[in-house]
Amino acid sequence: MKNGFITFAACLLVACGGGGESASTPTTPVETPVVTVPTQPQPESTALKDNEVAMTTEFNQFATYLTQLPDKTAQFKGTQIFIKVYTHDGNALYLGKLHSNLALSLHLPNHIKSVKIDVFSSDPQDPQITEEITL
Amino acid sequence: MNSTISFAFLAMLAGLPTTAFAELESVMLRDNISQGYGMINLFEVHRSSKTSNPINGQTLQAFREQHGGILAFVVDVNEAANGTEKASTQGVAVAEANLIFDFSGTKITCSKFTTNTASMLALKGQTARTEYPTLLGATGSNLITPSTASDLYGTDFSAMLRLKLDNEACGVTLPSLSNVTSAYLEVRFVDTNVKLGDPEAFYDFSNGPEDIAIISIQDVEPVEKLQAGVEEAPLVIAKSQVTKTVDAWSYYPSDNNFYVVSYEDKYPNKGDYDFNDLVIGYRVGLGLVYNESLRQNEVTSIVATGYMIARGAEYTHDWYLRIPTNTPVSGTVTKNLFVENTAEQVANYPQLQTINGEINIQVLKNTKQMMAVSGSPFVNTVPDQALVLGKKFSLSVNLDTPILLSEFSAPPYDPYLHVIPTNFEVHLSGFQTQISSSANFGADSQFKDENGFPYALIFPDDWYPPYEGTDLGNAYNQFLNYTISPSSSNETWYLSPKDGEVNTISKAFWNW
């Protein structure tokens, strides 16, 4: 890294001055001071051209999840049981017939930590089950 | 023996009026189904119809007898608007269909109908799903009928709608239609809860209008053999005559989102890190069938759709999408390329390609020619330039033999660039080169520069490309921090670009 990352980290360790909101006139009450301690050192320049990263660094904005679809087939009378797996904003990830022990592979933006499922059948007497699955 | 003669012969054997049978051709009707509803006058022929004879009661009776006691219609579904609807598959659901006959003041309504497909759908304002009959179709299906005199010849009419005329359907014994003084077909589509996404968004009726024709018996087989739009439609329940269904679709990243892949094309030299030399949005759907004996899903078909979003490069490129598998695959690919903001294909498309070994498809050729602004090498990457729509593409892959889903690599697969002036390939980090004549064939699978940064990155579709020469890390000042130390507090870094450093070309614009 050239080499703002390390320099800035060292600066934090010795509590040297400089810009930033925490160094300006405090607006929080004295009796309840708020001290922001970054858990990770921050680079001075955020430009890629000013920095280096390890060759092993990954740049994934998506995560892969392998999961087993819940086996709800026993709860339905209908011969054709369907499942929709979808995000909280309604985008379908998997849509079709549900079979026992069916594996599911999802590839989702990193911030998505759960999905929803609807299970339903072609039998009008059957209910529609909606659940949330935490990934 | 041609089909017209054969039907005349059959009619003669059945003691029916042979002249009526021999002259019966499918006829496109004047009225259509608009915004989910149609009251179609069966006596009014469309102005573009090839028929020179009006439809009257005798004609309807002849159609009735020809079809063994029912009246059959075919619909040109025209709904490529919402959900996963596109040119190659579109659908609506039918809430009701009635035939209303007037026999000199006596009205008889027949209300039983069938379609070849159905789906499970929630009505507007509801979430619980029930089964509804559906109509499916495709733009450009180009139906070939036995007779060129048929109004269906060379058209996109695709979805059968059969109306029963028995006592149960009509409440009474329906007399001969020869004496009917007026006849209407009333059709109402299901108003689905599109907010739920697919399948409801797919089977909505937001577009249209749908043309409708009364179909002759000889045209039924080609319509049902074509099964236009069936294979790629979501949640299809086959009712009859339908074989091209899949059990499920798995969408990556979803049915309504795209991967946005962006490239630095100066490889192997360091680029300027603006990651806009080529920006493409794409998504992939895997059509699955369940293997009962293995108790696993197999992939039988693949669809991919995408758009050119931006091109900030002097170089031109070809763009490929490879979907790696552990098992050799064979099949055919249909490649579609659409003129901007239309359903019309570019000249020489669609193109067919045979797959033998692996799914490795050149999707875009000569990107500089495909997306250009006069006087500038840059498109959608510089300020003060009007936004430009890019080409849309779609791929349909039909595998000769289903392959276990577990044999497919994980998404986002291998979207790669062949930079024509340098002859270098640029892949996501970790993928092997593919073009035997490329300058780096077999030489690299890391695709990272001396500072450890890749030449290709995948983003969610709400990411905006930086302006020309703007370092990605300057456009998004949390990107580097997230890369070095990812945490839940900064994983949506791409939603916070710096003002004036990115082109805010939204999905709503480029996903036309």
Side-chain angles (χ1 to χ4, degrees):
Chain A
M1 193 176 302
K2 308 180 214 175
N3 241 347
F5 195 91
I6 293 170
T7 308
F8 189 66
C11 183
L12 285 172
L13 286 171
V14 297
C16 59
E21 290 179 10
S22 61
S24 60
T25 306
T27 56
T28 49
V30 174
E31 59 273 21
T32 56
V34 174
V35 179
T36 303
V37 180
T39 54
Q40 294 291 332
Q42 303 295 305
E44 277 179 347
S45 168
T46 60
L48 308 196
K49 66 181 171 56
D50 298 330
N51 288 279
E52 291 178 12
V53 293
M55 283 294 170
T56 53
T57 302
E58 296 191 346
F59 295 83
N60 296 328
Q61 314 308 323
F62 288 82
T64 300
Y65 299 95
L66 295 173
T67 186
Q68 205 79 10
L69 282 174
D71 188 358
K72 304 282 184 185
T73 52
Q75 300 176 37
F76 288 85
K77 294 180 199 160
T79 52
Q80 294 196 88
I81 301 164
F82 303 94
I83 186 166
K84 176 180 176 179
V85 183
Y86 56 104
T87 60
H88 285 262
D89 47 5
N91 296 321
L93 308 169
Y94 186 94
L95 180 59
K97 290 178 185 166
L98 177 64
H99 299 277
S100 301
N101 305 312
L102 203 56
L104 177 65
S105 165
L106 303 175
H107 194 237
L108 295 165
N110 291 338
H111 72 276
I112 295 180
K113 309 297 185 195
S114 66
V115 295
K116 295 179 79 173
I117 60 164
D118 292 343
V119 186
F120 47 98
S121 92
S122 53
D123 188 326
Q125 304 301 316
D126 280 335
Q128 175 165 304
I129 297 172
T130 298
E131 288 182 1
E132 183 169 318
I133 299 177
T134 302
L135 299 170
Chain B
M1 184 187 297
N2 68 33
S3 57
T4 303
I5 294 172
S6 67
F7 281 110
F9 180 67
L10 289 172
M12 185 180 68
L13 290 180
L16 297 171
T18 54
T19 51
F21 266 40
E23 292 168 3
L24 279 184
E25 291 286 0
S26 302
V27 178
M28 185 175 171
L29 301 168
R30 181 195 64 184
D31 303 329
N32 56 34
I33 305 165
S34 178
Q35 290 301 304
Y37 181 79
M39 181 63 88
I40 292 122
N41 187 337
L42 301 185
F43 287 177
E44 294 291 345
V45 172
H46 195 276
R47 66 178 183 278
S48 66
S49 173
K50 297 169 191 165
T51 188
S52 54
N53 301 320
I55 295 180
N56 54 28
Q58 288 182 324
T59 322
L60 291 181
Q61 180 63 23
F63 274 115
R64 177 187 184 184
E65 291 169 3
Q66 196 188 44
H67 286 280
I70 68 166
L71 283 181
F73 301 87
V74 61
V75 179
D76 178 359
V77 182
N78 182 28
E79 292 286 334
N82 281 332
T84 47
E85 281 179 302
K86 54 198 168 195
S88 57
T89 183
Q90 304 155 37
V92 291
V94 185
E96 62 173 318
N98 306 304
L99 280 169
I100 305 164
F101 300 109
D102 190 335
F103 293 88
S104 303
T106 302
K107 284 199 175 176
I108 298 176
T109 300
C110 305
S111 302
K112 297 282 185 189
F113 69 95
T114 61
T115 60
N116 287 345
T117 54
S119 190
M120 299 293 298
L121 300 166
L123 297 178
K124 189 175 186 176
Q126 299 180 16
T127 56
R129 295 177 170 90
T130 51
E131 185 176 321
Y132 287 96
T134 55
L135 304 171
L136 293 167
T139 302
S141 54
N142 194 24
L143 181 68
I144 301 301
T145 52
S147 165
T148 56
S150 166
D151 281 353
L152 307 187
Y153 185 83
T155 69
D156 295 340
F157 281 95
S158 57
M160 293 296 302
L161 177 66
R162 292 178 167 91
L163 275 290
K164 294 179 179 177
L165 301 175
D166 55 20
N167 287 10
E168 185 189 358
C170 305
V172 294
T173 300
L174 189 70
S176 169
L177 297 177
S178 298
N179 298 322
V180 76
T181 50
S182 74
Y184 287 85
L185 170 63
E186 180 184 36
V187 180
R188 189 184 308 277
F189 291 158
V190 177
D191 196 2
T192 60
N193 187 354
V194 294
K195 291 179 182 173
L196 298 179
D198 280 349
E200 285 76 15
F202 180 91
Y203 291 102
D204 74 333
F205 58 79
S206 58
N207 206 7
E210 273 73 29
D211 287 321
I212 191 161
I214 188 164
I215 188 171
S216 66
I217 192 77
Q218 65 266 28
D219 287 350
V220 171
E221 184 185 352
V223 167
E224 295 195 322
K225 191 174 178 185
L226 190 60
Q227 296 181 43
V230 170
E231 190 167 17
E232 295 182 32
L235 206 66
V236 178
I237 301 172
K239 288 298 176 184
S240 64
Q241 309 296 329
V242 174
T243 55
K244 290 184 178 178
T245 59
V246 297
D247 286 341
W249 282 99
S250 199
Y251 302 106
Y252 300 102
S254 83
D255 68 336
N256 196 36
N257 292 108
F258 296 86
Y259 297 111
V260 173
V261 59
S262 67
Y263 300 92
E264 282 291 308
D265 68 359
K266 291 290 193 291
Y267 175 95
N269 300 314
K270 270 202 314 184
D272 58 4
Y273 296 119
D274 59 10
F275 281 93
N276 68 12
D277 295 349
L278 186 67
V279 184
I280 303 287
Y282 70 99
R283 65 171 167 240
V284 175
L286 303 181
L288 306 170
V289 291
Y290 187 66
N291 185 316
E292 294 281 356
S293 58
L294 296 175
R295 299 173 71 86
Q296 291 185 58
N297 271 333
E298 295 178 317
V299 178
T300 185
S301 58
I302 301 165
V303 294
T305 305
Y307 296 85
M308 294 182 76
I309 299 172
R311 217 191 57 78
E314 296 280 354
Y315 292 161
T316 191
H317 332 91
D318 297 338
W319 186 76
Y320 292 74
L321 181 60
R322 188 171 74 96
I323 300 178
T325 53
N326 296 326
T327 304
V329 297
S330 64
T332 53
V333 183
T334 303
K335 297 195 289 186
N336 303 297
L337 187 66
F338 298 93
V339 176
E340 293 83 349
N341 218 18
T342 74
E344 182 185 329
Q345 297 231 27
V346 170
N348 303 320
Y349 281 85
Q351 294 179 353
L352 293 178
Q353 178 183 326
T354 301
I355 293 171
N356 193 6
E358 67 171 0
I359 303 162
N360 186 9
I361 305 160
Q362 185 191 72
V363 182
L364 304 172
K365 187 169 178 57
N366 193 354
T367 59
K368 196 168 186 175
Q369 188 182 58
M370 296 177 77
M371 191 177 197
V373 169
S374 180
S376 172
F378 309 123
V379 185
N380 295 343
T381 64
V382 289
D384 304 323
Q385 183 190 70
L387 291 178
V388 172
L389 290 173
K391 293 274 189 305
K392 172 185 178 179
F393 61 85
S394 69
L395 310 170
S396 297
V397 181
N398 288 309
L399 301 181
D400 293 336
T401 308
I403 303 291
L404 281 173
L405 177 60
S406 55
E407 293 295 298
F408 278 69
S409 79
Y413 308 114
D414 180 17
Y416 69 96
L417 206 60
H418 183 212
V419 185
I420 302 305
T422 65
N423 195 26
F424 282 114
E425 294 177 47
V426 179
H427 293 252
L428 295 170
S429 187
F431 286 94
Q432 303 286 340
T433 51
Q434 296 296 317
I435 301 170
S436 60
S437 59
S438 69
N440 55 338
F441 182 68
D444 193 2
S445 62
Q446 267 288 81
F447 292 100
K448 287 187 174 177
D449 67 17
E450 64 202 52
N451 286 3
F453 292 109
Y455 289 88
L457 286 168
I458 296 273
F459 303 109
D461 58 15
D462 30 21
W463 174 84
Y464 295 134
Y467 278 132
E468 204 55 49
T470 300
D471 189 300
L472 176 68
N474 283 336
Y476 296 89
N477 57 18
Q478 297 180 58
F479 171 74
L480 189 61
N481 192 29
Y482 180 70
T483 299
I484 294 167
S485 52
S487 79
S488 57
S489 66
N490 57 3
E491 58 198 355
T492 55
W493 60 267
Y494 48 85
L495 298 179
S496 306
K498 261 198 221 171
D499 285 347
E501 304 288 358
V502 300
N503 194 355
T504 53
I505 175 172
S506 68
K507 186 174 79 168
F509 177 81
W510 56 257
N511 177 25
W512 47 265

